[in-house]
Amino acid sequence: NAGVTQTPKFRVLKTGQSMTLLCAQDMNHEYMYWYRQDPGMGLRLIHYSVGEGTTAKGEVPDGYNVSRLKKQNFLLGLESAAPSQTSVYFCASSKGERSTEAFFGQGTRLTVV
Amino acid sequence: AQSVAQPEDQVNVAEGNPLTVKCTYSVSGNPYLFWYVQYPNRGLQFLLKYITGDNLVKGSYGFEAEFNKSQTSFHLKKPSALVSDSALYFCAVRDGSSGANNLFFGTGTRLTVIP
């Protein structure tokens, strides 16, 4: 049981380049989330999804887009990368009840130069 | 609006001593509270949660947390710290009553257990 898998684990982008981060979960979870982690700021929610075909904005959505075409996958896109998007990105998933904990992937370390 | 505060960026404790990592929260409805631990270059791992019932909840690796509604706190505790407990700890809150299902995190507390 792999849990939550993020691809890639590391990436270096040049300013203005685009990329997509892939998150896959095999737990049949309804909810999926993308967070970014920056020193001293904890985890901030970028976008989330409460089910296949649905997405919603979190705290810091600007510069990012997401898609959830399949229940098990949640994609995070950067259309035109900026140095301010240098961060560690975490995907998480949880069952569709508020009382359940989220399960996290191992993270993607992205550097934009 | 929901929010979580972890007032201490860093907590140092001697091995074998009790440890406490503090967390206070703010939600409109019923609070669902969670603690996670992060080891270097790893994702977050779930430790324990409070949903309802007994104010003292027990979790993984000997950790426990006490929910205090009047003080809006959910402090993480362990009776005897181990060097292997050294890590980054995050408190999180979700509104259990209404609104979006977002999980809001604090800024984290780095725990160092000194041998």
Side-chain angles (χ1 to χ4, degrees):
Chain A
N1 192 338
V4 179
T5 303
Q6 291 183 232
T7 309
K9 290 184 172 49
F10 304 92
R11 186 74 185 268
V12 178
L13 284 180
K14 294 183 178 179
T15 297
Q17 286 184 321
S18 63
M19 79 164 294
T20 300
L21 281 67
L22 172 63
C23 177
Q25 54 96 2
D26 61 4
M27 296 173 282
N28 201 35
H29 284 169
E30 290 293 331
Y31 295 163
M32 297 187 74
Y33 314 82
W34 276 107
Y35 290 89
R36 58 177 290 172
Q37 182 180 24
D38 301 292
M41 304 192 74
L43 276 78
R44 292 180 293 168
L45 183 65
I46 305 171
H47 286 280
Y48 66 101
S49 168
V50 298
E52 181 178 317
T54 70
T55 63
K57 295 180 180 180
E59 303 170 72
V60 289
D62 294 342
Y64 305 95
N65 58 76
V66 288
S67 65
R68 183 123 180 248
L69 300 179
K70 294 182 178 180
K71 185 177 183 178
Q72 63 267 33
N73 295 338
F74 195 29
L75 279 63
L76 178 70
L78 286 73
E79 292 185 350
S80 180
S84 61
Q85 294 178 305
T86 293
S87 186
V88 180
Y89 291 86
F90 287 100
C91 177
S93 71
S94 68
K95 293 181 182 178
E97 297 108 24
R98 294 175 183 272
S99 61
T100 57
E101 60 272 24
F103 292 80
F104 282 79
Q106 290 199 310
T108 296
R109 185 174 295 276
L110 175 66
T111 302
V112 183
V113 298
Chain B
Q2 303 159 62
S3 65
V4 175
Q6 294 182 242
E8 301 159 317
D9 293 335
Q10 174 82 42
V11 170
N12 297 325
V13 63
E15 186 177 21
N17 282 3
L19 68 88
T20 299
V21 182
K22 296 180 181 177
C23 170
T24 59
Y25 66 89
S26 174
V27 291
S28 302
N30 295 325
Y32 288 175
L33 296 154
F34 304 81
W35 274 103
Y36 288 83
V37 60
Q38 185 181 32
Y39 298 101
N41 301 314
R42 302 293 299 274
L44 278 70
Q45 297 177 31
F46 169 73
L47 276 180
L48 51 78
K49 66 181 177 183
Y50 172 82
I51 303 302
T52 187
D54 194 348
N55 288 345
L56 184 66
V57 293
K58 296 186 183 296
S60 307
Y61 312 120
F63 284 94
E64 57 190 26
E66 186 169 11
F67 171 67
N68 187 317
K69 187 173 182 178
S70 63
Q71 297 185 4
T72 62
S73 66
F74 188 56
H75 300 331
L76 182 70
K77 300 180 180 183
K78 188 173 183 181
S80 179
L82 300 173
V83 173
S84 57
D85 293 331
S86 298
L88 189 57
Y89 290 81
F90 289 97
C91 182
V93 68
R94 179 184 278 140
D95 189 328
S97 303
S98 64
N101 196 345
N102 297 358
L103 189 59
F104 286 87
F105 284 82
T107 53
T109 298
R110 186 165 300 282
L111 173 68
T112 300
V113 181
I114 302 163

